[in-house]
Amino acid sequence: GADCPAVDTIILDDSLGRALSWEDHQQFLGRLRRDGVAVYTSRQTLREATLGREIAGKEEVSSEMKLQRMVRSATLDAIQSEESPAEISQAFEALELPDGMKAGEVARATLAVLLELTFPFCPSPTKVSPAEGIVALYPANMPGKEEELPALVKSLRLRLRAFKGPLKGLKSRKEQLKAIRSFETFCTQKQLFEGSAIASGRYVTTVLQAFYQDELFEEPAIMAWANEKEVEAKETSCWSKFATAGVPFISWLKEADEDSE
């Protein structure tokens, strides 16, 4: 209302934002201080707030985005309902996938949701991810802290086993390699490497190891990814932060092979 004091930051939930008129959005924004920050978690809602719904037009939703929303909803429902692995498999098999989406895409989307649910992330009002059109996410507490990782990884591995049905799309080496690349993209988009290099490195190594131990990623796909990164580093004279973070895991995997011989 008009008697509301000025504020420094407004974070608008998208479900509320979509229900507001252009005039309502202007009232919200009018309560900001001159140097305040308004955070909209949807590019479309931000367009409607600044241009009006008629000018902004309808939201263009890609097949990939539809799948992500579908998988996120199914995953949350399964966890909240404490469904068994068999029930989860049945629920995912019943999904009507968008055109062009197959088991591999479902598995990668499921993996991303499980990572988001297992490791705590919170919105930062000062960063925006142009690639996704949403607020960039940072760990609420850096998940690489040694005292936090065991419990978090245990929770992740339990969920990987519960969702083995949807994740079966990662059976082939090709799909596993795509999933490793998706994990790299996930970490980069979530701005994981903005904080401590040691903590983020420990997170990447530990999660990769969990994926390997639960046979989500098998050695041929992992080594193919590692070789891919070596070639990329030689061509660019630079290792990506994710690849650098994964070096301890690759070293551990090679040492395990040598010990077994």
Side-chain angles (χ1 to χ4, degrees), residues 12 14 17-18 20-23 25-26 29 38-61 130 132-134:
L12 189 63
D14 196 50
R18 289 176 182 273
L20 299 178
S21 66
W22 180 84
E23 290 79 9
H25 282 288
Q26 296 309 302
L29 296 174
V39 178
Y40 281 73
T41 57
S42 161
R43 180 180 296 169
Q44 178 66 18
T45 306
L46 178 59
R47 283 176 55 83
E48 292 178 3
T50 53
L51 302 176
R53 191 157 292 163
E54 291 185 5
I55 298 177
K58 293 184 179 180
E59 180 181 17
E60 295 184 5
V61 182
E132 294 183 327
I134 61 174

Side-chain angles (χ1 to χ4, degrees), residues 183-193 242:
F183 179 43
E184 179 173 7
T185 301
F186 173 88
C187 291
T188 302
Q189 289 181 341
K190 302 308 181 188
Q191 306 286 344
L192 182 73
F193 303 106
F242 182 87

